[in-house]
Amino acid sequence: MCEPAQLTGRIVRPNDPNYASASLGWDELFVHYPLVIVYAQNTQDVVNALTWARQHDVALRVRSGGHSLEGWSNVDNGIVIDVSELKSAHIDTAARTATVGAGLNQLEAVTTLAKKNLAVTTGTEGSVGLAGATLGGGFGFLTRYLGMACDSLIGAEIVVAEGADCAKVIRADLKNHSDLLWALRGAGNGNFGIATSLTYKVAPLKSVTYVQATWDGLGDLHGVFDTWQRTAPVADDRLGTQLEIHRNQILLFAVLAEGTPAEAKKLLAPILSVGRPNVSVQVGNWGDVYAGFQIPTENEPANWKFLSQFTDKPFPRKAISVIASFMRDAPTDDTNFFTQAFGGAVRKSPRGGTAFPHRDALFYSEPGVGWGTRGEPGSGDELTTQAQTWIAEFSQALRPYVNGAYVNVPNIGMQDWETAYWESNFDRLRKVKAQYDPRNVFQYEQSIPPASC
């Protein structure tokens, strides 16, 4: 038994004036009313909050960036333990390691490292929490060059449940609790404990060339998509690319690490020779480039639904036609079909391995639909059914050409989510869960259950 716990940190309760904003996540489709939100200011605040939750037998959820796409970082009548204010960063340039608080978002992490000409893989959306992205796998423009974000994770400080109603801090790395480090690399979101800091092996990165190409309409979709899927996953490992298909245009974004505009254009020549795209090129520090393509959250729709999938073989013409017909019929302007090239360093697992299984994919893709106006409760309700039906039908039509799913882009309605996210790693994850959370304190709609002995 522990001493009775007191909540510490910055505490927000239902009668506080900022409760409404504190309890709202990025996806405003989900509204929850927690009993209390604790914004931890240090690791001890997290220990106290977890102990308090256990002693009072209330449901708990963990939150950092608040981007949980099914609203799972929030809970009615429970406690939300929010680590978003743990924003420290200690960079050892000689050892090329960075230890960062679990509250940094991706923009903060990228720009902080870039000031020292260093980098780690992150996703493209700056307001997403770095910890959440990494613990689910984490990929973006640098994936083919540096591997998955979780591949660079070499250590974590994590608060776990202990005994009947306590909590303690442990450190997972390749020497201590290496089984937990393996699980945190791809299945770490809210399953085993609460990460308070993460240590990464970082890579030198002085400059990137950033290319953006736009094709008006969808007339060139077959040519652009087919050329991209046959060249991007096997290109020079320094080249990261994504396609974004909207209802009236096709966008290609590419980042060439430590490369010149001439090299980038040469590598992209097969795609850029399709039709007559509008092309812009920028060279600069990765932090500046990354900050430059961010869209302010307030300009984004309030409600979102995404579905995720991986592809091992190039899409046949029929699959590309499916994309074209669904995108022409998109319910809103904020709808897109987004892809990211894999290959390169993704195929290599780091020392100690990872729970992320989709190493052999050619590319990742997700249809996404956004609707409604931010900050207006109930906004877009009249579009919700149409948007959700459209994405479900789109996803179903692509089923023959895709497999698996990405745990950071979960789907509440998915059958066999355990194997979709983690394939054959699921049994091992259940054993790690039994080791570190045998009482299943950390549970939500698609959390990993402990293995029964």
Side-chain angles (χ1 to χ4, degrees), residues 277-291:
N278 225 331
V279 183
S280 67
V281 183
Q282 180 192 349
V283 181
N285 170 277
W286 175 228
D288 297 336
V289 169
Y290 185 91

Side-chain angles (χ1 to χ4, degrees), residues 92-103:
D92 183 335
T93 46
R96 286 192 185 151
T97 61
T99 298
V100 300

Side-chain angles (χ1 to χ4, degrees), residues 219-277:
D220 290 312
L221 183 61
H222 275 95
V224 171
F225 197 100
D226 194 50
T227 308
W228 174 82
Q229 70 175 348
R230 289 174 194 284
T231 57
V234 292
D236 186 312
D237 288 2
R238 293 172 301 150
L239 185 73
T241 55
Q242 63 184 51
L243 277 182
E244 217 173 89
I245 299 146
H246 293 257
R247 59 180 174 190
N248 52 10
Q249 63 175 185
I250 306 162
L251 299 163
L252 167 75
F253 304 96
V255 169
L256 180 63
E258 307 292 12
T260 63
E263 280 181 292
K265 284 188 161 163
K266 191 176 171 191
L267 289 167
L268 295 167
I271 310 169
L272 298 179
S273 64
V274 177
R276 298 176 62 186

Side-chain angles (χ1 to χ4, degrees), residues 72-85:
W72 293 337
S73 58
N74 205 338
V75 64
D76 291 319
N77 303 315
I79 182 172
V80 173
I81 303 174
D82 188 300
V83 296
S84 65
E85 294 179 5

